């Protein structure tokens, strides 16, 4: 009996190991000086029809997860919300509810969600932001003036604490304690947290499940880009000042911007455990951040950026925008990808939030807008790739 049990354990272990992708040695990967061609299949041929994008997108998702972020945890089917408090906001025609979400094995993973909803008939397009961290002097709730502006425009706002899902450190608490074998990076874990909040939101009658928007700043922006790439329930993805590992670029580094050396040395746990092997070998990466942006298509994507935020590589972010736009063009949805720069530095400013709502009005609600969402501030920047979208 013990022998049989041992045999079954060995088979199960081998099976699990066989399912885990094996990353080849970095030196064995071909160098790609320019931004990699997202239309190029693994066999060296290119796709030529929109119908082929679905399979190509799956291949690119696998590549992005394998080499950069690490896989997301499994999707639980036990996300439950318990209302802790409810109140009418002073000076704003809106209600605020605080809900505790529990999920995962033995519902051991949790996060608090603050949901602000207009006090008129819904359902409402809903913006989800995971940048509120309880007790932090840096990561605070969305400014009340911003909340008021969002509500007056007919949007709901859901804020949650992403570090309740997984810590912003190498500690294996939260999600990592619930899934001890899980070895994806924090960006993947936090993206999974966004997905679980959406699980709850789409069950509510006053949330428009077809118009879910995700927004995040800095490392939160890196998170929402991956969250939007991986979850087709998200109608609009908005990384703000997200830089390296977000809307920025690994291959194209403007002066003063964060590169792979800085980000991996400071935050190795944000990525899959072997991502640091690409230090000094960025040209061997089979993808770059335009690839992650392309995975959002044909749904909407807006990058909000600051010209003075040099660490977030605003010029490199333009490069990935131009490259990802080729995919949106190919799919016939050029107007669903946007980028807007403002003066100033590294913050999630009122201007960024209003730009997001303007873009959502135009792209999700069909409202006319006189403003442009694709003005490029670096006209002299070279085109970092020679390929173009297939004409077929």
């Amino acid at each position: 009996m013990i022998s049989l049990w041992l045999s079954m354990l060995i088979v199960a272990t081998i099976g699990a190991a066989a399912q885990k992708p094996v990353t080849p040695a970095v030196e064995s990967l071909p160098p790609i000086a320019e931004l990699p061609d997202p239309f190029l299949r693994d066999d060296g041929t290119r796709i030529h029809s929109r119908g082929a994008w679905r399979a190509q997108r799956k291949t690119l998702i696998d590549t992005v997860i394998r080499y950069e972020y690490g896989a997301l945890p499994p999707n639980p089917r036990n996300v439950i919300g318990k209302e802790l408090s409810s109140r009418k906001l002073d000076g704003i025609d809106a209600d605020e509810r605080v809900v505790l979400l529990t999920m995962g094995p033995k519902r051991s993973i949790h996060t608090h969600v603050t949901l602000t909803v207009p006090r008129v008939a819904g359902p409402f397009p809903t913006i989800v932001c995971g940048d509120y961290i309880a007790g932090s002097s840096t990561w605070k709730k969305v400014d009340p003036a911003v909340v008021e502006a969002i509500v007056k425009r007919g949007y709901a706002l859901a804020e949650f604490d992403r570090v309740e899902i997984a810590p912003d450190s190498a500690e294996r608490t939260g999600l990592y304690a619930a899934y001890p074998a899980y070895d994806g990076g924090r960006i993947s874990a936090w993206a999974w947290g966004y997905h679980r909040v959406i699980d709850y939101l789409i069950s509510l009658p006053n949330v428009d499940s077809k118009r879910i928007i995700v927004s995040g700043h800095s490392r939160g922006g890196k998170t929402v880009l991956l969250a939007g790439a991986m979850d087709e329930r998200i109608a609009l993805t908005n990384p703000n000042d997200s830089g390296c590992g977000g809307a920025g670029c690994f291959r194209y580094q403007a002066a003063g911007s964060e590169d792979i050396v800085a980000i991996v040395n400071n935050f190795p746990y944000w990525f899959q455990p072997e991502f640091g092997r690409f230090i000094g070998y960025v040209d061997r990466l089979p993808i770059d951040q335009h690839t992650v942006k392309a995975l959002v298509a044909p749904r909407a994507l807006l990058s909000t950026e600051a010209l003075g935020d040099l660490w977030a590589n605003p010029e490199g972010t333009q490069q990935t925008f131009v490259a990802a736009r080729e995919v949106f063009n190919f799919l016939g949805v050029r107007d669903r990808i946007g980028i807007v720069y403002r003066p100033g530095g590294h913050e999630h400013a009122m201007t960024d939030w209003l730009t997001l709502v303007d873009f959502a009005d135009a792209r999700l609600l069909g409202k006319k807008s006189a403003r442009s969402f694709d003005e490029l501030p670096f006209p002299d920047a070279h085109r970092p790739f020679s390929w173009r979208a297939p004409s077929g």
Side-chain angles (χ1 to χ4, degrees):
M1 191 71 177
I2 294 176
S3 173
L4 176 61
W5 177 85
L6 207 57
S7 298
M8 291 173 65
L9 179 63
I10 291 170
V11 169
T13 303
I14 292 172
Q19 292 174 7
K20 188 174 181 178
V22 177
T23 306
V26 170
E27 296 84 353
S28 71
L29 296 170
I32 309 171
E34 63 179 20
L35 296 186
D37 183 353
F39 302 103
L40 194 65
R41 297 187 181 99
D42 287 343
D43 65 4
T45 63
R46 298 185 91 219
I47 65 170
H48 291 286
S49 68
R50 291 179 184 173
W53 175 250
R54 194 76 186 165
Q56 180 68 359
R57 180 177 178 274
K58 184 180 184 307
T59 298
L60 294 175
I61 285 175
D62 292 344
T63 304
V64 162
I65 289 301
R66 179 183 187 185
Y67 287 98
E68 185 174 358
Y69 299 107
L72 276 65
N75 293 340
R77 297 185 179 181
N78 63 344
V79 178
I80 295 176
K82 178 183 178 182
E83 184 172 305
L84 301 180
S85 65
S86 178
R87 68 186 180 109
K88 183 185 182 303
L89 294 181
D90 295 335
I92 307 177
D93 197 16
D95 293 317
E96 179 192 271
R97 295 169 55 216
V98 177
V99 177
L100 175 65
L101 294 191
T102 55
M103 65 207 81
K106 299 181 181 179
R107 298 221 310 271
S108 58
I109 307 168
H110 75 275
T111 189
H112 290 79
V113 179
T114 301
L115 180 61
T116 306
V117 182
R119 300 193 85 209
V120 293
F124 306 100
T126 301
I127 302 171
V128 187
C129 181
D131 288 348
Y132 167 58
I133 299 176
S136 171
S137 60
T138 302
W139 299 96
K140 302 177 182 179
K141 282 190 174 181
V142 175
D143 186 277
V146 173
V147 176
E148 181 175 4
I150 289 171
V151 168
K152 285 184 175 179
R153 296 283 292 270
Y155 290 77
L157 174 66
E159 302 176 69
F160 75 100
D161 184 344
R162 65 174 180 267
V163 303
E164 289 185 312
I165 298 289
D168 193 355
S169 68
E171 292 180 89
R172 293 187 60 83
T173 55
L175 179 151
Y176 290 88
Y179 298 103
Y182 176 63
D183 66 352
R186 297 303 180 273
I187 294 175
S188 284
W190 294 332
W192 181 92
Y194 269 86
H195 298 164
R196 304 292 70 80
V197 172
I198 292 169
D199 288 344
Y200 170 70
L201 291 175
I202 63 175
S203 73
L204 303 179
N206 54 3
V207 168
D208 186 342
S209 63
K210 302 297 184 184
R211 293 179 174 87
I212 297 290
I213 302 161
V214 293
S215 183
H217 171 65
S218 195
R219 66 196 67 180
K222 304 178 203 301
T223 299
V224 299
L225 181 58
L226 182 62
M230 299 292 290
D231 192 336
E232 295 183 75
R233 298 174 301 176
I234 295 170
L236 169 55
T237 300
N238 170 228
N240 182 79
D241 292 354
S242 56
C244 190
C249 190
F250 287 114
R251 282 172 172 80
Y252 186 90
Q253 293 292 321
S257 62
E258 184 179 32
D259 61 8
I260 190 172
V261 177
I263 199 168
V264 171
N265 284 342
N266 288 319
F267 307 104
Y269 48 86
W270 284 357
F271 303 94
Q272 62 94 352
E274 298 181 336
F275 187 58
R277 297 188 306 158
F278 286 98
I279 292 176
Y281 296 95
V282 167
D283 63 334
R284 305 295 177 113
L285 262 175
I287 50 93
D288 211 308
Q289 293 311 100
H290 69 296
T291 315
V292 191
K293 289 182 173 182
L295 297 175
V296 176
R299 292 164 294 119
L301 170 67
L302 172 71
S303 298
T304 41
E305 307 295 334
L307 290 169
D309 188 5
L310 301 183
W311 189 244
N313 196 6
E315 189 169 346
T317 301
Q318 176 178 300
Q319 304 286 39
T320 61
F321 166 79
V322 172
R325 188 170 57 183
E326 291 288 322
V327 174
F328 283 78
N329 284 343
F330 176 68
L331 297 176
V333 290
R334 178 188 175 95
D335 68 340
R336 290 188 193 165
I337 183 171
I339 190 166
V340 175
Y341 289 83
R342 59 164 170 80
H346 193 67
E347 62 175 324
H348 207 164
M350 170 70 88
T351 302
D352 302 316
W353 288 104
L354 294 179
T355 297
L356 170 59
V357 175
D358 287 345
F359 189 79
D361 276 354
R363 301 299 179 256
L364 301 188
L365 301 181
K367 296 181 180 181
K368 291 184 178 180
S369 177
R371 68 179 300 177
S372 171
F373 297 101
D374 61 357
E375 293 182 4
L376 304 182
F378 305 101
D380 297 328
H382 79 284
R383 183 183 174 93
F385 55 96
S386 58
W387 48 266
R388 291 188 180 275
S391 56

